[in-house]
Amino acid sequence: AKEAGRGTYAFFEETLNERAQARRRVENDLRIAIEQGQFELHYQPLFDLDKHRIGSFEALMRWNHPTRGQISPTDFIPVAEDTGLIVRIGAWALHEACRQAKSWPEHVRVAVNVSPIQLQRPGLAETILQALASSGLEPQRLEIEITESVFLAGTEATMKLLHSLRAIGVRIALDDFGTGYSSLSYLQSFPFDKLKIDRSFIQNLLVRPGAVAVVRAITDLAGALGMETTAEGVEEDSQLAELRSQGCSSVQGFLFARPMPARKVAELLAQKGE
Ligand code: C2E
Ligand code: CA
Ligand code: CA
Ligand code: CA
């Protein structure tokens, strides 16, 4: 047993070392990617159930690596966050999303994911103002998506920042709602424009007993607080029907469209007559 224990330990040590090396490789590659402009934004539509049209697109980052092909954000965003590189990559995303959204019809907004690291560091408000100014995009057409984790650490500075962004007209959505920090107190202290109900609830909607009640509670709560709701990860007609009956404001998922490159957005809007 002792032998096996040592062997197991050595094995873990090796894989930890390998993981550290892999991380360093990703970090180096990320620095090059920033310099060489290897990032691209794809866009996924959010369908407004009341107005029966596309209300916005969420910008989702893609990394076109010269040898490893397209890398998923779930593989590189955590490294970018740990190293602080997310601040520069995120600033690029804000500029690029505003610039591209400027060419869309006026009623179509763009939603950009903002990391908790970006919110913690000074300069986010300036970056957003610059992105709006240089693109000419109206602030009302920009929505930022933040996660509940921003409320774990020192909420006061975050609250001030979010209030100042909202004062200039930028919309704020709370992403992956229901999966993070479980206190609901921040819903009273901050007027979000939208709650995005996490995909895990939608996946289980017609499977797990109680899921319908949970999603209904979220849509009712949002409604009572004057917030919109978006259901994430809608893949099936049956889910859509349930969400519609619950009065969910908008839906997003593979049932409607997968994230697409910017040139496809124009085609999709033209095809829908928007
Ligand atoms: P998220 O913000 O929750 O984005 C939604 C994710 O769900 C996207 O994955 C999207 O492609 C995927 N998705 C949408 N509809 C469906 C569906 O019907 N079924 C399934 N299975 N998946 C669906 P993606 O593009 O791989 O992004 C993953 C995560 O990476 C995002 O989750 C977000 O947390 C992060 N991310 C992406 N772009 C950015 C960015 O520009 N900045 C930051 N900070 N994070 C980003
Ligand atoms: Ca998001
Ligand atoms: Ca989400
Ligand atoms: Ca998510």
Side-chain angles (χ1 to χ4, degrees):
K2 224 175 191 174
E3 285 296 305
R6 257 207 301 279
T8 309
Y9 179 67
F11 172 75
F12 276 122
E13 205 169 36
E14 198 169 283
T15 55
L16 280 177
N17 195 21
E18 277 167 16
R19 268 173 48 189
Q21 273 178 12
R23 254 181 128 69
R24 268 197 298 278
R25 206 163 45 233
V26 176
E27 182 183 346
N28 280 336
D29 282 6
L30 275 175
R31 290 183 196 280
I32 296 168
I34 293 170
E35 251 124 62
Q36 301 191 345
Q38 294 170 4
F39 298 107
E40 183 187 352
L41 293 178
H42 280 197
Y43 295 94
Q44 188 181 31
L46 277 69
F47 284 87
D48 197 315
L49 291 181
D50 299 328
K51 295 188 178 133
H52 304 283
R53 66 181 185 188
I54 295 171
S56 61
F57 284 85
E58 178 177 1
L60 294 159
M61 189 122 40
R62 299 292 178 261
W63 178 5
N64 299 312
H65 192 282
T67 55
R68 291 164 60 205
Q70 198 168 85
I71 304 177
S72 155
T74 50
D75 291 330
F76 71 85
I77 298 280
V79 182
E81 288 179 331
D82 285 353
T83 53
L85 292 171
I86 191 68
V87 174
R88 284 167 68 194
I89 300 171
W92 171 82
L94 282 159
H95 275 89
E96 181 76 353
C98 289
R99 186 182 69 79
Q100 289 179 324
K102 178 65 183 171
S103 69
W104 304 343
E106 273 183 20
H107 70 270
V108 182
R109 293 187 300 262
V110 69
V112 181
N113 291 285
V114 170
S115 156
I117 308 294
Q118 288 171 274
L119 281 153
Q120 282 162 21
R121 304 280 180 90
L124 180 63
E126 287 77 3
T127 299
I128 289 175
L129 287 172
Q130 280 166 9
L132 291 169
S134 67
S135 62
L137 189 77
E138 299 77 5
Q140 292 73 17
R141 293 181 59 195
L142 174 65
E143 185 164 88
I144 63 166
E145 296 193 1
I146 64 171
T147 56
E148 294 166 284
S149 64
V150 303
F151 299 104
L152 281 173
T155 61
E156 208 164 300
T158 303
M159 285 293 177
K160 248 179 97 178
L161 173 63
L162 294 179
H163 277 284
S164 70
L165 288 176
R166 210 156 182 271
I168 63 165
V170 173
R171 291 167 46 103
I172 320 273
L174 190 53
D175 204 356
D176 303 343
F177 184 73
T179 59
Y181 184 38
S182 57
S183 165
L184 296 176
S185 61
Y186 54 76
L187 289 187
Q188 289 179 303
S189 48
F190 190 79
F192 292 98
D193 296 281
K194 172 187 283 187
L195 300 183
K196 294 191 79 176
I197 308 170
D198 192 70
R199 179 159 65 88
S200 55
F201 296 104
I202 310 308
Q203 267 179 323
N204 288 325
L205 193 57
L206 301 161
V207 181
R208 190 171 292 178
V212 167
V214 170
V215 172
R216 182 171 292 280
I218 297 173
T219 49
D220 286 352
L221 176 66
L225 293 170
M227 300 172 188
E228 295 172 13
T229 45
T230 295
E232 299 190 297
V234 179
E235 294 183 353
E236 290 164 22
D237 280 316
S238 55
Q239 295 165 341
L240 174 62
E242 176 59 31
L243 292 160
R244 207 188 279 281
S245 85
Q246 294 203 6
C248 191
S249 327
S250 62
V251 283
Q252 174 181 13
F254 294 170
L255 179 65
F256 309 95
R258 290 179 179 257
M260 62 191 81
R263 63 185 158 75
K264 291 274 183 191
V265 170
E267 280 175 33
L268 179 67
L269 290 169
Q271 174 197 325
K272 302 255 173 207
E274 288 176 8

